[in-house]
Amino acid sequence: MSEKTAEALTNRTICQIGVVVRDVERAAANWADCLGLPTPEWTLTDPLEVANTVYQGEPTEARAKLAFFAFDNISLELIEPVGGPSTWQEFLDTHGQGVHHIAFRVADMDDEVALLKAKGMPPAQRGDYTGGCYSYTDSTEKLGVILELLANR
Amino acid sequence: MSEKTAEALTNRTICQIGVVVRDVERAAANWADCLGLPTPEWTLTDPLEVANTVYQGEPTEARAKLAFFAFDNISLELIEPVGGPSTWQEFLDTHGQGVHHIAFRVADMDDEVALLKAKGMPPAQRGDYTGGCYSYTDSTEKLGVILELLANR
C-alpha cells in the first residue's frame, strides 16, 4: 500500500491483536492447546509509578496480566485486567471476552495521537513500559475497533 | 513457530481480522481517511442457494456487505450483516461493533473443524464463496475470539 497522505497513519502493518480475557492462565492454556505449543508464562504490567497509566484523563492503579503468542506475522496479546479502572476492564464489563484492540507501531506518538484526535478519535488510555509507550484510541464508533499506537523510546 | 503436534491447528498465520460494523460504507470511509487511501467498494455475499450458508445448524438467508483493506501483513474485513440470522448479526446485537473473528487458512476444512469441535469449540456458521469455503468456530469462551477457518476448493 502506498500513496499515504500527510493526514493519515504512518504505518500500515498491524503488529498485534489484543484480546481481553477473564482468566489469562486459562485462555493461554486453551490457545497453547489449539496451537500445539507450550503455555506461555504471564507477566504483570508495571505499577502506576512506573507505567504512569492514565485512563480517561485520570491516573489509575489498573494493571494487567499479559501473555503473548508470536504468530508468523503478528503477535497475539492476552490481557486479564486487574487492580483498577482501565479500558481493559471497561471492555470486559461491557462486552465480555473479545478482541480489545489492534496495534500499530508509530514513530511519533504525539503526532499520531493528535491526528486521530483531530479525526474524532480521542485517546482513551496511555502508559509506559520498558522501552516504549502506548496509547489506546477511542475509535470503536468510527472504525469498529480500538486502535493501539506503540512507540519505542 | 514450529513443533506443532498432530492435535493442533496446521497454520499459524492469521490472514484476516474481521470487524462487524453497522454501516460498511461509513466504516470503510472512516478507515480510508485514517489510512490515506481511497474508500473501497463493498460487495454483497452470495445468496443462500450459492453460499449454502448454515448458522447454528440451520440454513439461513443471511448475507453480508463486505469491504476489505489489504494491510502489509494481513487483511481487514469490514462486515455489515443483512438479511437474516447469522453469527455476524448475533455479534452486532450482543456486542455492538467490534472484532468478530480472526482467520486462518487451512488445507483440510473437515479435519480442522473436527479438531476444534473435539476441543470444545463447535462450528457456529459455515458457507461457500467463489473459490473456497469458511467455517466460524464458537471459541469465544475458550480463546476470547471466534476463529474463522478458510479453505480453498
Side-chain angles (χ1 to χ4, degrees):
Chain A
M1 298 171 87
S2 59
E3 297 177 12
K4 181 181 68 61
T5 76
E7 293 301 318
L9 287 173
T10 56
N11 186 317
R12 293 175 184 153
T13 302
I14 298 175
C15 63
Q16 185 188 86
I17 299 171
V19 180
V20 161
V21 297
R22 279 186 295 275
D23 180 332
V24 75
E25 285 187 63
R26 195 167 65 90
N30 290 336
W31 270 103
D33 181 51
C34 269
L35 298 169
L37 293 171
T39 303
E41 297 289 318
W42 58 266
T43 58
L44 185 62
T45 60
D46 290 323
L48 173 59
E49 58 269 26
V50 177
N52 302 304
T53 312
V54 174
Y55 168 62
Q56 300 295 4
E58 300 290 335
T60 175
E61 298 279 354
R63 299 171 76 174
K65 296 178 181 177
L66 306 179
F68 292 89
F69 287 92
F71 286 84
D72 291 344
N73 58 334
I74 207 164
S75 79
L76 180 77
E77 179 184 39
L78 303 177
I79 305 163
E80 178 187 334
V82 292
S86 67
T87 179
W88 310 306
Q89 188 67 55
E90 178 190 3
F91 186 96
L92 188 61
D93 292 346
T94 306
H95 301 286
Q97 297 193 137
V99 174
H100 171 266
H101 67 264
I102 59 178
F104 297 85
R105 291 208 170 274
V106 298
D108 188 315
M109 179 64 83
D110 291 345
D111 274 4
E112 305 270 350
V113 168
L115 169 75
L116 292 172
K117 190 174 180 183
K119 292 182 186 296
M121 294 172 275
Q125 180 174 316
R126 63 178 164 80
D128 300 320
Y129 54 88
T130 302
C133 61
Y134 70 86
S135 178
Y136 292 115
T137 303
D138 186 3
S139 49
T140 305
E141 181 57 32
K142 285 191 174 279
L143 304 181
V145 60
I146 293 168
L147 299 187
E148 181 181 33
L149 306 180
L150 297 167
N152 294 331
R153 285 195 196 280
Chain B
M1 299 169 87
S2 59
E3 298 177 12
K4 182 181 67 62
T5 74
E7 294 301 319
L9 287 173
T10 55
N11 186 316
R12 293 175 187 154
T13 303
I14 298 174
C15 63
Q16 186 188 85
I17 299 171
V19 179
V20 162
V21 296
R22 279 186 296 275
D23 181 332
V24 75
E25 285 187 65
R26 195 167 67 88
N30 289 337
W31 270 102
D33 181 51
C34 269
L35 298 169
L37 292 171
T39 303
E41 298 290 318
W42 58 267
T43 58
L44 186 62
T45 59
D46 290 322
L48 174 59
E49 58 270 27
V50 177
N52 302 305
T53 312
V54 174
Y55 169 61
Q56 301 295 3
E58 301 289 336
T60 175
E61 298 279 356
R63 300 170 77 174
K65 295 178 181 177
L66 306 180
F68 292 88
F69 287 92
F71 285 84
D72 291 342
N73 58 335
I74 206 165
S75 79
L76 180 76
E77 179 184 39
L78 302 177
I79 306 163
E80 178 187 335
V82 291
S86 66
T87 179
W88 308 307
Q89 188 66 57
E90 177 190 3
F91 186 95
L92 189 60
D93 293 344
T94 307
H95 302 286
Q97 297 195 136
V99 174
H100 171 266
H101 67 263
I102 59 176
F104 297 84
R105 292 208 168 273
V106 298
D108 187 315
M109 179 64 84
D110 291 344
D111 274 4
E112 304 270 349
V113 168
L115 168 75
L116 292 172
K117 189 173 180 183
K119 292 182 185 298
M121 294 172 274
Q125 180 174 316
R126 63 178 164 79
D128 300 320
Y129 54 89
T130 303
C133 61
Y134 70 86
S135 178
Y136 292 116
T137 303
D138 186 2
S139 49
T140 304
E141 180 58 31
K142 284 190 174 278
L143 304 181
V145 59
I146 293 169
L147 299 187
E148 180 181 32
L149 306 180
L150 296 167
N152 294 330
R153 285 193 195 281

